[in-house]
Amino acid sequence: MSTLFPALALTLFTPLFGGLVLGLVRPMRLAGWLNLAFCALSFGASLLLARDLLAAPGGVYTGHGLHIDAFNLPLIVLTSFVGLTTAIFSRRYMLEMYAHGRVTPLRMQVYHAMFQGFLLTMLVALGTDNLGILWVAVEGATLATVLLVSLYRTPESVEAAWKYFILCGVGIALALFGTVLVYFAAQQAIGDPEQGLTWSVLHAHADGMSAPVMAIAFVFLLVGYGTKVGLAPMHFWLPDAHSEGPTPVSAMLSGLLLNIALYAVVRFKMLADSALGQSATPQLAGHLMMGLGLLSFLVAALSLQRQRDIKRMFSYSSVEHMGLATFAFGIGGPLATFAALLHLLVHSLTKSAVFVTVGHAAHIAGSQRIERIRGLIRTQPAVGWALLLGVAAIAGFPPFGIFASEFLMLNATLQSWPWLAGLLLIGLAIAFAGLFRNLQPMVYGSAPEGQVAVRANLWPVVVHLLLVAWLGLAIPPLLAGWLQQATRLIAGGGF
Amino acid sequence: MTQLPLLEQAILVLAALTLLASFSMLAQSRLTSAIHSFAWQGVMVAAATALVAAVGHAHHLYLSALLTFSLKGLLIPWMLHRLVRRLNMEREVENIAHPALVVLAGALLVILAYWIALPIERLELASTRNIIAISLAIVLLGLWLMIARRQVVTQVLGFMSMENGLFLAAVASTRGMPLVVELGIAFDVLVAAVLFGVFFFHIHESIESLDTGKLTRLTEEEPA
């Protein structure tokens, strides 16, 4: 027996232990370091898990209520990695915020405990084999982050947290209704009711599940989890919640949580596709995802134009990218699915890097308002360059990975839905214009009198951007292998 | 149409009463009365769960029934009541814009729920098909309660009654989800209830009222 299960348990449950410990640790400096250490432990274990899973027969592990395959493995490694780099950034950033009097020691304690709790719920959502537990974990992620969004207790942040809580709560309730319907359909296809929510069992028997019930269930699941993905028209909470919370939280919300929700949708799509295979509308799930994805993409690209708050602007960019990924998963087929998977990875890395940089930029300017952020490259060249490169990456400029994934998506669209490719190109151009119009004065404009550099830790940004550039230039064969395998799993064929 | 066994009929009656409690929440303008309606709804769902357990000899459902009764019938209403008392809002009456229209729209939602559940109806037993439609109607009415009313407390009631509808669907149509899942859901509901309590104070502190119509700071527009 290999070290596979211990590695898996260590990855998933280090944050549980960490959250419990950090809930009790009062000294802030120690808590910051401990937070970092727990994240490092979880990330190390996830690498070990990846190594062992590659050696395992078939590259799949099922047992103890967990199910790890090529689809969720890269996302688990990504989540624990971004968790680690955010913890590195958060350690000093939150001390600075404390020095500015924005948080009390008690709230710092809550912050660190919830940071780990948030990671725990995301990792459990990814690792679990049980669709009910998946729901519990995604709802848990909302509950863990709602106090983080309102951490500064400004009227704005309380309002943002309330909207987030209510809208996501409603969304996720609809997802539970969908889950109940899936369970209901499963009872007719599978004898053992205890197995009725186990994804790996359902996937094997999905063709026997009732098509009409699965169709209704998928609509509820898409709307429900789609609210958490930030799909239009259920996206109104997202810019508020992502802009009002502390920056490390924004980085994780935008970079990671959206992925988890989309992951849940895709898992259900795999079931719905095989249940609906023989019905009159075999592509129903895909078409719904394409429609909502494209709508979100266009709405977000247009909304980008009128933003005055820098974090809100990048939140809309998250809606745009998640819309694109949903659209690509909806097209189905190997090429589009591969592109969507790659897009999830590169978007997470880029967006969390951008939010970390934005945190520093807002700190320099003393405001999140775009018109107040000026001349970064003069005041602090490192932050200016990081913002410039980060935005170039997020807008899909060539050496970076998002260019590669968007190019693949465009190709896939041209193959199967040529007339939609025009819409995609127009949307990309609009989003690009919105981002760059605002970026130029922020980076190059003349700096206001007396603007000084701050202590910044840009290592997470550098590492993320280097990784994204690497993924854009040449996907390492190991990762390409994983993604190919995941593509085969989701789309039912390779390329 | 076959005759339903007596116990199944009883379950249906309870489901209908649960739906009635949703309507009563929708029409109540006094906060404390709305909380009482919610408590009754919780009790009704718990009773339905216990009956399902008796019919199907599913013993783990007795545990769920007990959990629902203590959580939704006693603990959460008690917490809400205490918060309302502490914020001196017992006498608070919320102005509902068009009470008759709100209830009428609720009735339309019930019809919509039956329409959505039509394809499911054809393939299942008579009792199950009704239950799915009724629980969907409770979910939609909870959603409608949150949209139509602007009081923070009523929004929370809407949210929690959506959970009641979901629970009813899970119990009555599938004899309950696996126990781990149910415990997880109960835990989430409990944490959500506690968080709602925390938020009452935050919101009260920041806008000195619990009217969400006043939460209007976050917009794209230039502040005036």
Side-chain angles (χ1 to χ4, degrees):
Chain A
M1 187 61 204
S2 70
T3 54
L4 204 151
F5 181 67
L8 181 56
L10 199 60
T11 314
L12 261 53
F13 295 110
T14 304
L16 175 65
F17 181 66
L20 292 176
V21 169
L22 284 170
L24 301 173
V25 174
R26 185 49 71 81
M28 277 172 271
R29 287 179 183 282
L30 178 66
W33 280 113
L34 276 177
N35 190 30
L36 204 162
F38 285 125
C39 289
L41 188 60
S42 179
F43 175 58
S46 78
L47 287 181
L48 213 63
L49 167 70
R51 193 203 65 187
D52 288 342
L53 197 73
L54 285 175
V60 178
Y61 171 82
T62 310
H64 298 90
L66 301 167
H67 176 82
I68 311 292
D69 56 24
F71 180 21
N72 55 10
L73 179 64
L75 290 173
I76 288 175
V77 176
L78 176 80
T79 302
S80 52
F81 174 70
V82 176
L84 172 62
T85 52
T86 314
I88 294 174
F89 162 69
S90 139
R91 189 185 65 80
R92 199 183 287 161
Y93 181 83
M94 289 315 285
L95 286 176
E96 294 268 340
M97 289 296 115
Y98 175 70
H100 282 70
R102 298 196 74 177
V103 277
T104 60
L106 182 68
R107 283 187 218 154
M108 281 288 264
Q109 216 171 328
V110 171
Y111 169 82
H112 282 122
M114 288 300 158
F115 190 101
Q116 292 290 328
F118 183 31
L119 275 178
L120 169 74
T121 52
M122 288 195 291
L123 289 168
V124 168
L126 286 172
T128 183
D129 196 11
N130 187 312
L131 296 173
I133 302 292
L134 171 68
W135 183 87
V136 170
V138 174
E139 166 78 354
T142 314
L143 298 176
T145 43
V146 85
L147 282 182
L148 292 179
V149 169
S150 69
L151 195 76
Y152 293 153
R153 296 285 167 80
T154 56
E156 288 85 3
S157 67
V158 170
E159 180 182 335
W162 179 255
K163 272 193 200 169
Y164 172 45
F165 198 2
I166 288 291
L167 270 170
C168 284
V170 168
I172 208 82
L174 295 178
L176 183 58
F177 194 77
T179 310
V180 170
L181 286 179
V182 169
Y183 185 55
F184 174 67
Q187 303 240 301
Q188 290 144 354
I190 302 168
D192 182 8
E194 283 297 312
Q195 300 286 319
L197 280 174
T198 309
W199 186 87
S200 49
V201 175
L202 286 180
H203 193 228
H205 295 88
D207 47 356
M209 286 157 79
S210 147
V213 177
M214 281 305 283
I216 298 175
F218 187 77
V219 172
F220 276 98
L221 289 161
L222 180 61
V223 171
Y225 285 119
T227 309
K228 289 225 75 161
V229 181
L231 295 182
M234 296 88 72
H235 67 287
F236 291 104
W237 62 273
L238 193 145
D240 295 342
H242 289 202
S243 62
E244 293 303 325
T247 302
V249 177
S250 311
M252 291 211 295
L253 282 173
S254 255
L256 298 177
L257 187 57
L258 305 181
N259 278 0
I260 312 291
L262 187 54
Y263 162 83
V265 173
V266 175
R267 282 275 185 212
F268 280 107
K269 176 179 186 274
M270 293 162 78
L271 297 181
D273 276 348
S274 86
L276 293 173
Q278 303 302 319
S279 72
T281 50
Q283 295 291 323
L284 178 79
H287 289 171
L288 285 172
M289 286 176 77
M290 280 175 66
L292 274 187
L294 198 60
L295 180 70
S296 321
F297 169 67
L298 294 174
V299 165
L302 290 172
S303 305
L304 265 176
Q305 308 298 322
R306 42 187 286 207
Q307 299 310 315
R308 297 195 159 76
D309 180 306
I310 184 168
K311 277 175 147 186
R312 282 184 87 86
M313 181 172 82
F314 286 114
S315 315
Y316 273 107
S317 146
S318 297
V319 176
E320 177 213 338
H321 285 289
M322 293 323 277
L324 265 183
T326 310
F327 173 75
F329 274 123
I331 294 179
L335 184 60
T337 306
F338 185 89
L341 286 169
L342 183 63
H343 198 73
L344 286 187
L345 299 185
V346 288
H347 172 254
S348 288
L349 290 170
T350 318
K351 190 47 71 62
S352 42
V354 166
F355 266 109
V356 167
T357 321
V358 163
H360 288 312
H363 193 183
I364 293 172
S367 167
Q368 281 178 208
R369 295 183 65 78
I370 291 173
E371 74 222 19
R372 302 267 297 274
I373 304 174
R374 286 293 179 260
L376 291 175
I377 215 156
R378 274 162 232 258
T379 311
Q380 194 162 7
V383 173
W385 275 107
L387 190 63
L388 190 66
L389 290 175
V391 172
I394 207 80
F397 261 89
F400 295 106
I402 290 187
F403 173 76
S405 61
E406 285 180 349
F407 184 73
L408 289 175
M409 279 180 200
L410 212 57
N411 264 344
T413 316
L414 276 173
Q415 276 178 17
S416 40
W417 302 80
W419 50 278
L420 284 179
L423 270 181
L424 280 192
L425 279 174
I426 294 171
L428 286 174
I430 295 176
F432 170 84
L435 286 172
F436 269 81
R437 200 178 42 140
N438 288 323
L439 177 75
Q440 214 269 341
M442 282 198 287
V443 174
Y444 291 112
S446 56
E449 288 286 308
Q451 182 165 281
V452 288
V454 294
R455 278 178 65 183
N457 182 0
L458 286 170
W459 278 111
V461 180
V462 173
V463 173
H464 281 205
L465 289 181
L466 279 176
L467 277 173
V468 173
W470 185 19
L471 286 175
L473 292 169
I475 303 173
L478 181 69
L479 184 65
W482 280 0
L483 293 182
Q484 293 268 17
Q485 210 180 330
T487 305
R488 262 194 293 280
L489 205 69
I490 300 167
F495 66 90
Chain B
M1 183 97 184
T2 48
Q3 198 73 40
L4 288 175
L6 204 59
L7 280 171
E8 299 225 342
Q9 286 187 34
I11 294 172
L12 270 179
V13 170
L14 280 172
L17 286 176
T18 317
L19 185 62
L20 191 68
S22 272
F23 271 104
S24 123
M25 268 185 268
L26 205 56
Q28 282 290 358
S29 55
R30 277 191 54 163
L31 286 184
T32 39
S33 317
I35 294 174
H36 289 157
S37 304
F38 172 74
W40 277 113
Q41 190 175 50
V43 172
M44 239 90 78
V45 172
T49 312
L51 270 184
V52 172
V55 174
H57 303 288
H59 293 291
H60 78 279
L61 276 184
Y62 285 118
L63 186 64
S64 319
L66 192 67
L67 208 62
T68 312
F69 177 68
S70 41
L71 208 62
K72 304 249 184 69
L74 298 176
L75 185 66
I76 293 175
W78 175 75
M79 277 170 53
L80 286 173
H81 222 279
R82 209 177 56 130
L83 284 166
V84 167
R85 258 205 320 271
R86 275 179 55 189
L87 295 171
N88 290 322
M89 292 175 43
E90 289 141 299
R91 306 240 156 258
E92 188 121 334
V93 175
E94 190 189 348
N95 275 328
I96 310 173
H98 297 285
L101 280 183
V102 167
V103 175
L104 210 60
L108 286 180
L109 283 177
V110 178
I111 297 173
L112 175 73
Y114 267 90
W115 180 76
I116 293 177
L118 264 181
I120 304 173
E121 287 188 23
R122 294 203 191 95
L123 61 107
E124 257 301 308
L125 300 162
S127 67
T128 318
R129 65 191 193 195
N130 266 314
I131 292 273
I132 287 195
I134 290 177
S135 35
L136 181 58
I138 294 170
V139 171
L140 291 179
L141 282 175
L143 194 60
W144 177 230
L145 185 64
M146 294 169 74
I147 297 168
R149 307 282 287 270
R150 310 209 302 191
Q151 255 288 339
V152 171
V153 181
T154 21
Q155 288 196 339
V156 172
L157 289 179
F159 183 87
M160 291 286 169
S161 71
M162 280 177 84
E163 297 264 332
N164 274 342
L166 293 168
F167 190 78
L168 190 67
V171 165
S173 68
T174 63
R175 302 284 174 263
M177 309 258 246
L179 192 61
V180 224
V181 179
E182 265 180 31
L183 288 178
I185 294 173
F187 176 73
D188 276 354
V189 169
L190 187 62
V191 175
V194 172
L195 279 180
F196 276 130
V198 173
F199 263 90
F200 283 179
F201 287 102
H202 289 185
I203 292 178
H204 201 261
E205 232 174 73
S206 82
I207 59 172
E208 288 175 355
S209 146
L210 284 182
D211 183 350
T212 53
K214 293 188 182 156
L215 289 175
T216 51
R217 279 165 171 271
L218 295 170
T219 57
E220 251 88 84
E221 310 306 329
E222 212 31 41

